[in-house]
Amino acid sequence: MTSKKLRTIIFGIIFLVLSILYTMLFAPNGNVRLMDSYDLLFHMNRIQSLSNIFVSPVNFSSWGHVGNMTSLFYPWLTIFPGFLIFQLFGNPVLGFLVYLTVINFCTFVSAYYFMKKFSNNTLQSFLFSIIYTLAFFRAASVFYRAGLAEYISYIFIPMIFYEFYQLLIGKFNKWPLFALSFALVVMTHPLSAFTTAIMLVPLVLLVLFSKTSHSWKYWLDLVYSGVKSIFFVGLTTIGFTLPMYQQQKYISVNRPAVIDLWSTAKDPVLLFQDAMKADVRSYSFGAIFVFALILLLIFVWRDQLKYKIIAIEAVLALLLSTNLIPWNTLQDSFLNYLQFPWRFLNPFTFFIAIYLSHILAMLVDKRSGLLKVSVAVVMILICSFQIYVSGTKLNGQITLVKDTPVVKQSESNYIVRRYNQHDYYPNRSLKYFQDIGRHHFIVNDHKTKLHYKYTDSNYTVKYYNQDPVTMDIPVLVYKGLDVTINNEKTNYTISKRGTVEVKTKPGQNVIQLSYHYSTVAKAAIGLNVVSAGLLIWLCVNDGKLLYKKKKDTDTKELKSKNS
């Protein structure tokens, strides 16, 4: 066995062990706690509701059985592996813990792989992987906020910035990989894609300090690569964006809460004070990154250009997370979708982790292998200790969730499926949220309870009356609803509650509701799949549409080297 293979195996074992320990700290008793919000139940429901996603955008077994169409408003592609894990283990809590372990492991591996390609330094790559994955702010997303989509995005962020770096240094044939990585983030967490896009803009300006950019051809090629990337990102996410847009045009839905940006931006003084504490509820970045910022101030002045740019990006991201930015003037712009300016601590975590790993590796570069191993071990211990202390402290704190603060494995299927929430509800349904959630039917303007049955894709109610009645069924109306009475398709209207209203027939009525994808949605998904296949082909074939023989390429490269 070669030393390279042995090193890969050792790193893999370390990453796996750390991933398992991380999950054990998250759920020390094998059960999960809801910390001050129901966000964890929200994401577990998102995963569990994917059982019929290929035939219907609505799962009646989930979301309190009211027909919430969350899957069409929140991308689900990268949580589908979680659904397969849920199915394998047959338990939402156990499945989620295994899925979290997989996510942690993939984050370690992605961070190491792309930093190795960027720096060509094994120690720096390993250190970055540890510092990035075990970062304090990421722990806040995992342990406290339960921001599943946000910390899944951590897997793809190293790929995005590495492939964009490739474009900036003139390797324009790498644009398909950049487009693919960005599309993956869009299909995971659009807000992370939004903050990432903002952080890409300064890089385009800062590359002016590089001699590589001092030609018109460079900028023409860069712009052309950017246009192709944007075009393919659009095509490979259209299966999500177009159906969502169609639904929003059909009916007004409740978007996630509009929050005052100024009030959620971090006060710079408090940000640094909180960094020295072990409380992930503070949404700070931890003591390790305070040390990293000190090192940045010491070494950045004589560093390589690319690391100077990384340092500038870290400082910019940190600045954007604070109220030094006039967020109050931006409140009425599209930026209010950001909700929390402290989301910029995610890219800050990425850039400062790069810089810290770079400085540590540089300081021991000419030293013995034993010292390098010692630095790696010490950083594992320090980062793990920070996570252990903060995680243990959080586990000992009282949660604000009063109803079901702990989700036990034995009860998880029932608790997850009954969970209901009003994000993406039709707006007219909001004031009837409790009423709909309690499954109150309205028959001829009288509220009543009727027996109903559901499967993943169908909702059925039986009703008998000698006279026709007007029935308001507690199922939300979106585009794509089918209603049948006694197996015959029937018309329906939208009630004042935003629910299904039908006219029954005399006698026995078997009313069945189901949802289908619209023609526009089917076409968009089909185009998405074809575009994704084409993009993957372009990634494999160095951005060329026609097949490129690798042997010919290798021969040309060999000849150019010999000449």
Side-chain angles (χ1 to χ4, degrees), residues 7 13 48 73 171 178 219 325 381 387 547:
R7 184 175 63 213
I13 292 172
Q48 191 137 303
F73 296 95
K171 296 183 179 180
F178 169 69
W219 288 103
I325 302 298
L381 293 176
I387 294 297
Y547 179 64

Side-chain angles (χ1 to χ4, degrees), residues 330-387:
L330 302 170
Q331 182 65 39
D332 295 328
S333 70
F334 69 95
L335 289 170
N336 63 29
Y337 279 91
L338 184 64
Q339 294 181 308
F340 311 106
W342 46 249
R343 290 188 195 274
F344 281 101
L345 290 177
N346 286 314
F348 167 75
T349 294
F350 172 74
F351 288 113
I352 199 66
I354 294 177
Y355 200 81
L356 178 57
S357 63
H358 157 63
I359 294 299
L360 293 175
M362 183 185 70
L363 291 174
V364 297
D365 185 43
K366 304 296 182 181
R367 306 302 177 93
S368 67
L370 180 60
L371 181 60
K372 293 178 181 179
V373 172
S374 299
V375 168
V377 171
V378 168
M379 283 310 299
I380 291 175
L381 293 176
I382 291 174
C383 292
S384 299
F385 180 73
Q386 179 176 252
I387 294 297

